[in-house]
């Protein structure tokens, strides 16, 4: 099977704040002009220490339409609420897959006990585009807790592949998706090699959350770097040079036009205007700040 070649190993772009609780590096679409469809956006919150605070930091009420947000926690804890009455807490190792679709108001902030204690904080948030036929479907949540996560245990105490969505070695992820998507956390112990297989046409990238790895016995990628692959070949081999955590992303591109305006991700300008109108008229519901 042909090796999926590396396009480029990308360093983290300069960080910026989202609200006062999330310091993120936007790898795409603004950080680098790379095509990772169906993943439209990746905000990587590299590890940072937050001081203790009584009033939790976070992001106030904001709308979403036309896509899904996927929040993956590595350190720290995030609480959230939405205009449909849903709420929850995302602890380290957990994943929250929110389908905004036809529209939702949302707010997220540091969980109270974490905020009072302070400490390390590290997260990833992805925006996953929806195909046109699903953009106005009903909003929903999929909470993938660490304790329930589908896992492939590597032999000889090599580590674990946590399958959030998709399929790895016949282990199927908990999250359902609208288009073919693979999302894993590969937690590899030092010296271990792991192999991944994706279709040559899939857009694929590895975010190095922790540690250092050698990819395809060729290039080294360290913590906070993103490995972007070419759309050719199917096989990727990774060797952990130290205990490492890799966020693995691969998916079938959605070959449709995209028009983005802030938190709206649609196919046409008319749909964006409709989203703005619906939001201004209160059709996304109500959520207290």
């Amino acid at each position: 099977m042909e090796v999926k070649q590396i396009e480029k190993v990308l360093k983290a772009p300069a960080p910026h704040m989202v609200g006062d609780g999330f310091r993120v590096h936007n790898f795409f679409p603004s950080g680098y002009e790379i095509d990772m469809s169906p993943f439209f956006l990746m905000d990587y919150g590299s590890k940072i220490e937050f001081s203790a605070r009584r009033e939790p930091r976070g992001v106030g009420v904001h709308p979403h339409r036309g896509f899904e947000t996927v929040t993956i926690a590595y350190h720290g804890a995030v609480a959230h609420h939405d205009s449909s009455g849903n709420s929850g807490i995302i602890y380290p190792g957990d994943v929250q897959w929110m389908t905004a679709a036809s529209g939702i108001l949302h707010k997220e902030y540091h969980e109270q006990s974490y905020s009072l204690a302070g400490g390390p904080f590290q997260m990833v948030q992805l925006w996953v585009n929806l195909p046109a036929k699903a953009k106005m479907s009903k909003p929903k949540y999929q909470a993938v807790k660490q304790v329930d996560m589908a896992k492939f245990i590597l032999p000889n105490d090599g580590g674990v592949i946590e399958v959030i969505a998709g399929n790895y070695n016949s282990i199927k992820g908990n999250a359902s998706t609208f288009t073919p998507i693979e999302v894993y956390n590969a937690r590899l112990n030092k010296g271990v090699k792991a192999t991944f297989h994706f279709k040559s046409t899939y857009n694929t990238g590895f975010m190095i959350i922790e540690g250092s790895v050698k990819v395809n016995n060729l290039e080294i990628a360290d913590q906070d770097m993103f490995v972007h692959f070419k759309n050719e070949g199917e096989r990727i081999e990774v060797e952990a040079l130290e205990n490492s955590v890799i966020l693995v992303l691969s998916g079938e591109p959605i070959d449709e036009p995209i028009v983005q305006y802030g938190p709206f991700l649609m196919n046409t300008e008319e749909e964006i205007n409709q989203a703005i109108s619906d939001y201004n008229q209160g059709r996304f519901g109500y959520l207290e700040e």
Side-chain angles (χ1 to χ4, degrees):
M1 186 177 293
E2 188 181 345
V3 170
K4 186 179 281 289
Q5 301 292 335
I6 296 169
E7 180 71 47
K8 200 162 187 182
V9 178
L10 305 170
K11 294 182 179 180
H16 66 274
M17 293 300 295
V18 178
D20 65 356
F22 303 93
R23 188 198 68 174
V24 301
H25 310 264
N26 182 256
F27 274 88
F28 55 87
S30 62
Y32 294 99
E33 292 183 359
I34 59 174
D35 187 1
M36 278 295 294
S37 175
F39 307 100
F40 176 79
L41 172 149
M42 185 177 73
D43 273 345
Y44 169 59
S46 60
K47 193 183 292 185
I48 185 175
E49 290 279 335
F50 278 109
S51 59
R53 182 165 148 171
R54 185 172 297 278
E55 187 66 29
R57 301 171 175 89
V59 181
V61 176
H62 55 280
H64 292 301
R65 174 178 279 182
F67 62 100
E68 302 179 287
T69 65
V70 180
T71 304
I72 306 169
Y74 297 97
H75 294 279
V78 175
H80 65 90
H81 286 81
D82 76 16
S83 52
S84 297
N86 297 302
S87 64
I89 299 171
I90 312 163
Y91 290 108
D94 294 346
V95 176
Q96 182 214 58
W97 201 295
M98 182 182 81
T99 304
S102 62
I104 207 164
L105 298 180
H106 191 241
K107 63 180 179 179
E108 49 209 325
Y109 43 90
H110 295 181
E111 184 270 332
Q112 185 70 48
S113 60
Y114 166 76
S115 187
L116 287 169
F121 193 87
Q122 188 180 25
M123 302 264 166
V124 170
Q125 186 170 91
L126 303 165
W127 288 15
V128 179
N129 191 22
L130 289 171
K133 64 183 180 182
K135 282 189 179 293
M136 293 299 288
S137 57
K138 186 178 179 182
K140 67 173 184 176
Y141 279 93
Q142 301 177 79
V144 186
K145 296 292 186 182
Q146 173 63 215
V147 67
D148 301 321
M149 201 168 284
K151 297 179 177 73
F152 179 85
I153 307 300
L154 295 167
N156 304 317
D157 194 32
V160 61
I161 310 295
E162 299 170 350
V163 187
I164 299 164
N167 188 301
Y168 181 84
N169 276 12
S170 300
I171 301 295
K172 191 176 185 305
N174 302 60
S176 64
T177 63
F178 288 82
T179 59
I181 295 174
E182 308 288 327
V183 181
Y184 321 143
N185 272 323
R187 301 180 185 271
L188 308 180
N189 292 330
K190 183 179 178 179
V192 167
K193 291 183 178 181
T195 303
F196 302 88
H197 299 94
F198 305 113
K199 290 184 179 180
S200 60
T201 54
Y202 279 23
N203 289 325
T204 303
F206 287 6
M207 183 70 232
I208 314 304
I209 303 296
E210 189 176 300
S212 179
V213 301
K214 182 180 279 190
V215 184
N216 292 338
N217 203 32
L218 186 66
E219 291 201 49
I220 292 174
D222 297 322
Q223 182 169 319
D224 302 342
M225 291 182 175
F226 186 77
V227 185
H228 185 223
F229 293 89
K230 295 180 180 180
N231 292 100
E232 54 186 57
E234 298 182 352
R235 182 178 181 274
I236 300 168
E237 183 181 84
V238 177
E239 178 185 1
L241 304 179
E242 53 188 274
N243 291 352
S244 299
V245 179
I246 309 162
L247 174 61
V248 176
L249 304 173
S250 189
E252 182 178 83
I254 297 175
D255 187 19
E256 296 175 351
I258 289 179
V259 180
Q260 181 210 1
Y261 179 80
F264 306 133
L265 191 60
M266 304 302 289
N267 298 105
T268 67
E269 292 283 355
E270 290 77 13
E271 289 169 341
I272 291 292
N273 292 335
Q274 186 64 55
I276 295 168
S277 174
D278 289 347
Y279 170 64
N280 288 335
Q281 293 181 51
R283 291 176 182 161
F284 284 54
Y286 173 77
L287 182 61
E288 187 176 341
E289 283 283 358

